[in-house]
Amino acid sequence: MAELIAGVEIPDSKLAREATELMRDTLPPLIFDHSRRVFLFGSLQAAAQNIRPDAELLYVAALFHDTGLVPPYRSDDQRFEMDGADQARAFLVSRGTAEADADTVWTAIALHTTPEVPYKMAPEIAATTAGVETDVLGLNLAALTQAEIEAVTSAHPRPDFKRRILQAFTDGFRHRPDTTFGTVNADVLEHFVPGFRRTDFVDVIENSAWPE
């Protein structure tokens, strides 16, 4: 029997079960619980916005979206979002998922920290960002009922979540500060890494190789 949380059915396909098992075994509980909440909140927000993502693709995108913060998925030379996107696409392709669907999941993860743009894209991309923004930033909580919020957080609690997720972000990319240029991730390092100074876009233009 499929698991139902806040009226949202957790996908129970072979692919979804394999993704759940892999992520449960390799992610810390903080990230696993957050990722499941992203699926649940993303599904609820999608319903509120009258968009209909493919539940299985949204589920995989949600489960993999923050894998780039932690070993064994974390790299040294690209944005953490791209680490997770690469892992999710490889997972899907290795299990016979169509390239177009795998690319949609890749894009959903790669853009999940980019404001506005995802909402103009495929439903799975929009819903991934909606789930992230609800759980991390508290955006659009008013679109959900208190019963829905309580059901999700009862199944996947978020104790001391604000502090702990900021620590996870800091640990996830403090060793690759250059990858935070032009992203919200630079805000995290500015707050929590002594001596970090974000790359300034104006400085890059004014000090470029162009002679004028």
Side-chain angles (χ1 to χ4, degrees):
M1 184 175 176
E3 185 179 8
L4 197 68
I5 300 172
V8 177
E9 186 174 308
I10 303 294
D12 194 37
S13 64
K14 181 176 185 292
L15 177 71
R17 291 194 300 271
E18 288 179 355
T20 302
E21 183 177 352
L22 176 62
M23 293 297 99
R24 185 181 285 124
D25 289 346
T26 57
L27 291 179
L30 169 72
I31 302 299
F32 180 77
D33 284 327
H34 163 55
S35 299
R36 293 262 292 194
R37 290 196 306 271
V38 165
F39 168 73
L40 293 163
F41 286 139
S43 298
L44 292 168
Q45 294 288 7
Q49 297 172 30
N50 200 30
I51 62 174
R52 293 177 173 79
D54 179 279
E56 185 179 65
L57 295 181
L58 175 58
Y59 187 66
V60 172
L63 284 188
F64 278 83
H65 85 280
D66 270 351
T67 53
L69 293 174
V70 296
Y73 308 106
R74 185 170 67 201
S75 74
D76 295 329
D77 57 359
Q78 66 177 8
R79 290 176 54 167
F80 90 91
E81 300 96 329
M82 293 175 67
D83 290 340
D86 289 347
Q87 292 292 333
R89 181 161 57 186
F91 172 85
L92 289 169
V93 170
S94 72
R95 286 155 176 81
T97 301
E99 290 278 353
D101 288 341
D103 286 345
T104 295
V105 171
W106 188 95
T107 304
I109 298 172
L111 293 181
H112 81 264
T113 60
T114 300
E116 296 189 62
V117 175
Y119 290 101
K120 297 293 186 180
M121 303 181 76
E124 297 79 18
I125 300 170
T128 300
T129 290
V132 170
E133 290 183 343
T134 296
D135 198 45
V136 178
L137 304 177
L139 298 186
N140 296 316
L141 273 174
L144 309 179
T145 68
Q146 191 59 38
E148 288 171 336
I149 294 169
E150 289 176 359
V152 172
T153 56
S154 176
H156 294 286
R158 52 194 312 279
D160 196 22
F161 180 71
K162 293 179 182 180
R163 183 193 64 79
R164 294 168 69 213
I165 197 63
L166 285 169
Q167 185 64 60
F169 290 153
T170 304
D171 294 342
F173 42 76
R174 70 187 303 160
H175 66 293
R176 43 179 166 174
D178 290 347
T179 69
T180 68
F181 172 58
T183 78
V184 296
N185 304 326
D187 295 342
V188 175
L189 298 189
E190 189 87 33
H191 275 268
F192 298 110
V193 176
F196 173 81
R197 181 180 182 276
R198 71 180 64 233
T199 301
D200 187 286
F201 181 61
V202 175
D203 288 345
V204 172
I205 294 174
E206 293 183 338
N207 297 317
S208 77
W210 288 106
E212 76 273 17

